[in-house]
């Protein structure tokens, strides 16, 4: 919304934002799929449309499937074998993307922009993709692919005589060879693409990911999906509020200490906080002391009151905090929300099970926490699988230094 305000600079910002909320769906996908000829743009775009129920916008759809104000003018250029002007393409795209279905469902823009001028025109029209997928492959591979490319005129799906031949005989019969697929024509298009590629890459570099198209289509699609489902980091400042959850022995205290040291946030261990309150002879400490002396759990209302008081301190409000040891169950978590203690990062350090069959091990926690600042305002959940046997081994071999309080194995 702020982006639209900066672009349009309306006289009445409040009314503009109200209309924006009525007419726009900020969660809808806005994706550009770019790449050289025969790199698989159509396959990727159609697959993304099916996955997100989004609208596919390409040269073919704009010229032959849509009835837009300037469609006939663009067709006239096509019939005369003349290049369609960039301004005309930009107008067609702007008109199509302003329709209700594209606003509500999102859009996948295939093959656009083709050059720097088109990219600038789209930006001046307020069209900014959230994700740009740039496919690439060696020219020799692309030229070989283009020779076997076949098109289904009914569904517009693309197949290949070697790599992706349809099993349905009816589909096989209606496949046609696209025009301009001679090696000379493909080489000419590749040359033009390589000439324009660096400028487009520079414009969209912050939202762009290059993906190797010279691999099985399943791998390409999985990489594309993983990228377009990510949200980009927000540059807006925020105070980190981190919550560590996990079974005993999963390393909550250690990782909290490392995070607090590296990013200068306040490390709050719930158990340690209770002991400090008792040692300082505070009013809450006097209420808590009998429970600790008897080995009974401290009531949740006392723990919450102590936590609320500590997290409201100036150092926590200014630097942020990392909390471990609370909540321990769903009820405590709900009470934490009612007390308006809302973390913006969740880290689950371990589950009392090993990886499920066929499930991959997650990368080590130090690698994860090194990227912690990139989480922006999003809530990230990190699962660290820890088998029950490992938990028991850690707890049974844990030793505590009575002087420093440090835990060792």
């Amino acid at each position: 919304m702020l982006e639209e305000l900066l672009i349009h600079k309306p006289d009445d910002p409040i009314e503009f934002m109200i209309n924006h909320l009525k007419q726009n769906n900020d969660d809808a996908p806005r994706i550009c799929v770019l790449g050289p000829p025969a790199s698989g743009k159509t396959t990727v775009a159609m697959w993304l449309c099916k996955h997100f129920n989004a609208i596919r916008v390409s040269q073919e759809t704009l010229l032959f499937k849509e009835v837009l104000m300037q469609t006939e003018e663009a067709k006239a250029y096509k019939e005369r074998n003349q290049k369609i002007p960039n301004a005309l393409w930009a107008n067609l795209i702007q008109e199509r993307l302003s329709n209700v279905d594209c606003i509500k469902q999102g859009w996948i823009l295939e093959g656009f922009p083709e050059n720097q001028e088109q990219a600038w025109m789209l930006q001046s029209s307020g069209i900014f993709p959230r994700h740009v997928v740039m496919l690439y492959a060696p020219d020799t591979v692309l030229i070989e692919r283009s020779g076997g490319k076949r098109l289904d005129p009914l569904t517009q799906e693309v197949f290949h005589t070697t790599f992706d031949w349809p099993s349905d005989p009816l589909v096989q019969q209606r496949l046609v060879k696209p025009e301009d697929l001679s090696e000379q024509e493909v080489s000419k298009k590749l040359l033009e693409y390589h000439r324009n590629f660096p400028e487009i890459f520079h414009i969209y570099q912050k939202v762009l990911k290059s993906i190797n198209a010279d691999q099985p289509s399943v791998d390409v699609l999985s990489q594309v999906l993983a990228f377009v489902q990510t949200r980009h980091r927000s540059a807006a400042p925020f105070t980190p509020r981190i919550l560590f959850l996990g079974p005993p022995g999963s390393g909550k205290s250690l990782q909290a200490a490392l995070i607090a040291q590296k990013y200068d946030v306040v490390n709050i261990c719930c158990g340690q906080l209770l002991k400090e309150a008792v040692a300082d002879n505070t009013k809450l400490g006097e209420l808590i002391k009998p429970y600790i002396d008897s080995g009974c759990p401290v009531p949740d209302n006392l723990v919450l009151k102590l936590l609320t008081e500590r997290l409201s301190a100036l150092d926590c409000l200014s630097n942020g905090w990392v909390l471990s040891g609370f909540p321990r169950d769903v009820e405590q978590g709900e009470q934490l929300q009612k007390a308006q203690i809302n973390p913006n990062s969740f880290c689950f350090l371990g589950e009392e099970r090993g990886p499920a069959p066929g499930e991959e091990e997650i990368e080590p926690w130090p690698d994860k926490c090194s990227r912690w600042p990139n989480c922006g305002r999003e809530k990230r959940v990190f699962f660290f699988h820890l088998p029950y046997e490992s938990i028991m081994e850690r707890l049974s071999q844990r030793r505590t230094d009575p002087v420093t309080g440090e835990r060792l194995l």
Side-chain angles (χ1 to χ4, degrees):
M1 190 185 301
L2 179 60
E3 185 179 72
E4 294 292 322
L5 280 173
L6 293 174
I7 294 170
H8 297 284
K9 298 179 181 178
D11 296 331
D12 188 350
I14 302 300
E15 184 65 27
F16 179 86
M17 288 189 288
I18 292 173
N19 292 332
H20 174 87
L21 292 173
K22 289 180 179 179
Q23 298 175 6
N24 289 272
N25 181 3
D26 290 326
D27 294 327
R30 298 205 296 263
I31 304 168
C32 284
V33 181
L34 308 177
S39 59
K41 298 187 296 296
T42 302
T43 301
V44 170
M46 294 185 72
W47 185 83
L48 287 174
C49 288
K50 291 178 182 178
H51 185 84
F52 291 111
N53 191 30
I55 307 301
R56 173 173 165 257
V57 180
S58 65
Q59 290 189 13
E60 291 75 16
T61 61
L62 289 173
L63 294 179
F64 304 111
K65 288 191 174 183
E66 306 292 344
V67 182
L68 306 172
M69 292 179 61
Q70 295 178 298
T71 299
E72 294 302 324
E73 183 181 352
K75 283 183 177 180
Y77 278 98
K78 193 77 171 178
E79 291 171 358
R80 295 194 298 266
N81 291 324
Q82 294 178 345
K83 187 176 181 179
I84 300 175
N86 291 328
L88 184 53
W89 276 127
N91 291 337
L92 287 170
I93 293 171
Q94 182 184 10
E95 183 181 354
R96 181 65 187 92
L97 298 187
S98 63
N99 289 351
V100 176
D101 56 350
C102 287
I103 293 173
K104 298 301 181 183
Q105 297 174 237
W107 44 264
I108 312 296
L109 192 55
E110 177 198 328
F112 287 106
E114 295 180 314
N115 51 54
Q116 185 184 60
E117 186 180 359
Q118 286 184 6
W120 284 345
M121 287 180 174
L122 292 179
Q123 288 184 338
S124 64
S125 302
I127 299 171
F128 294 89
R130 290 197 185 97
H131 300 87
V132 177
V133 176
M134 183 71 74
L135 302 174
Y136 70 91
D139 288 354
T140 52
V141 173
L142 297 173
I143 292 173
E144 181 184 359
R145 279 189 181 184
S146 62
K149 185 177 178 181
R150 296 295 183 269
L151 180 67
D152 186 343
L154 186 62
T155 63
Q156 296 300 312
E157 289 187 82
V158 177
F159 297 92
H160 195 277
T161 55
T162 304
F163 306 111
D164 185 22
W165 191 245
S167 56
D168 190 344
L170 295 177
V171 177
Q172 295 176 11
Q173 293 176 5
R174 64 174 182 253
L175 293 182
V176 296
K177 187 175 182 179
E179 299 177 359
D180 301 330
L181 279 183
S182 66
E183 186 173 332
Q184 185 178 0
E185 287 293 332
V186 175
S187 300
K188 183 179 178 181
K189 289 182 178 180
L190 284 172
L191 183 62
E192 184 178 1
Y193 170 80
H194 291 309
R195 188 183 299 118
N196 295 321
F197 165 73
E199 297 169 342
I200 298 176
F201 183 90
H202 179 73
I203 292 173
Y204 293 117
Q205 58 182 332
K206 291 185 178 180
V207 295
L208 181 145
K209 182 177 179 62
S210 298
I211 295 177
N212 184 9
D214 187 19
Q215 54 182 322
S217 58
V218 175
D219 295 337
V220 174
L221 295 175
S222 64
Q223 292 179 44
V224 170
L225 183 61
F227 170 62
V228 300
Q229 287 182 330
T230 60
R231 292 194 177 187
H232 301 292
R233 175 188 177 184
S234 171
F238 75 104
T239 303
R241 302 186 301 272
I242 311 168
L243 180 62
F244 281 6
L245 302 176
S250 59
K252 300 186 295 296
S253 300
L254 173 61
Q255 300 303 334
L258 293 174
I259 286 290
Q261 181 182 10
K262 184 171 184 178
Y263 298 109
D264 194 27
V265 296
V266 181
N267 181 17
I268 299 175
C269 175
C270 188
Q272 187 65 28
L273 191 63
L274 294 172
K275 294 176 183 177
E276 289 175 359
V278 173
D280 294 339
N281 292 321
T282 62
K283 291 183 179 180
L284 276 175
E286 293 176 359
L287 297 174
I288 293 170
K289 189 176 186 302
Y291 295 98
I292 292 182
D293 291 343
S294 63
C296 297
V298 180
D300 292 347
N301 61 328
L302 293 179
V303 178
L304 276 172
K305 194 170 183 179
L306 185 63
L307 278 176
T308 303
E309 182 180 308
R310 181 65 186 92
L311 296 178
S312 301
L314 181 60
D315 57 348
C316 290
L317 293 176
S318 57
N319 297 338
W321 46 263
V322 51
L323 171 63
S324 59
F326 191 91
R328 295 178 181 272
D329 53 42
V330 175
E331 185 178 350
Q332 290 181 352
E334 292 173 349
Q335 292 176 3
L336 202 66
Q337 284 188 324
K338 290 179 182 178
Q340 300 300 314
I341 301 175
N342 298 313
N344 51 28
S345 298
F346 294 86
C347 302
F348 290 83
L349 301 183
E351 294 181 324
E352 297 187 15
R353 65 172 182 84
E359 187 177 24
E360 295 182 358
E361 290 281 358
I362 293 182
E363 59 185 310
W365 166 245
D367 296 336
K368 281 285 188 184
C369 71
S370 64
R371 294 200 301 274
W372 163 75
N374 294 336
C375 70
R377 293 184 181 274
E378 297 175 19
K379 295 180 179 178
R380 301 285 179 97
V381 180
F382 300 101
F383 290 93
F384 269 54
H385 302 304
L386 194 65
Y388 179 79
E389 293 77 11
S390 298
I391 293 175
M392 296 304 296
E393 182 181 0
R394 287 188 182 185
L395 294 177
S396 62
Q397 297 183 12
R398 175 183 286 178
R399 299 293 182 267
T400 303
D401 187 334
V403 177
T404 64
E406 185 179 0
R407 292 175 176 176
L408 304 170
L409 288 178

